Amino acid sequence: MKTGRLILLFLTILIFIVILPLLSPIFFTNATEKGAIRQFIYQAGYPYQSYFAIIQNKNHVDPQYGQLYHVTWQDWKSETGMTPSVCYSKKVDKKEYKISCGTAP
């Protein structure tokens, strides 16, 4: 009985891991600021990191770029391991935000 439960748990986790990248474009759209940041991360080739990114609003609005966010996520493609940790989110349409990200100083 325990073996059957372990197999079921393993299969559930496996399905969860496989389905996350497929669901990402559905859950994270440009309709919200944080969703647009997560979609930016996903489109950069980091499907799982888009779910586990830490996004912090930094109460600063730049007139040109929009609302400032600090974003922490694992950038395994980078040689230095740095993550784009500064993102600006600017509303460009009724339900669309434009995201600009770069590295922090």
Side-chain angles (χ1 to χ4, degrees):
M1 191 68 172
K2 286 186 178 185
T3 304
R5 288 185 182 175
L6 284 175
I7 291 172
L8 182 61
L9 178 65
F10 176 74
L11 288 174
T12 304
I13 292 170
L14 184 64
I15 289 170
F16 183 73
I17 288 171
V18 169
I19 205 163
L20 274 178
L22 301 174
L23 295 176
S24 195
I26 296 168
F27 289 128
F28 305 136
T29 67
N30 287 335
T32 66
E33 291 178 285
K34 290 185 178 182
I37 291 170
R38 292 182 189 281
Q39 186 182 52
F40 175 89
I41 295 169
Y42 172 80
Q43 289 175 341
Y46 302 94
Y48 296 104
Q49 288 85 341
S50 64
Y51 280 90
F52 302 111
I54 299 167
I55 302 172
Q56 299 171 320
N57 186 339
K58 287 300 177 188
N59 295 330
H60 173 73
V61 178
D62 184 280
Q64 182 178 1
Y65 297 108
Q67 176 67 49
L68 174 65
Y69 288 91
H70 284 188
V71 183
T72 305
W73 51 281
Q74 178 59 40
D75 185 354
W76 48 268
K77 292 181 184 178
S78 172
E79 292 179 11
T80 62
M82 298 290 288
T83 62
S85 56
V86 176
C87 292
Y88 286 93
S89 176
K90 185 172 185 175
K91 193 169 194 170
V92 293
D93 196 1
K94 187 175 182 178
K95 288 191 175 183
E96 184 177 356
Y97 288 88
K98 180 182 178 186
I99 304 300
S100 321
C101 292
T103 55

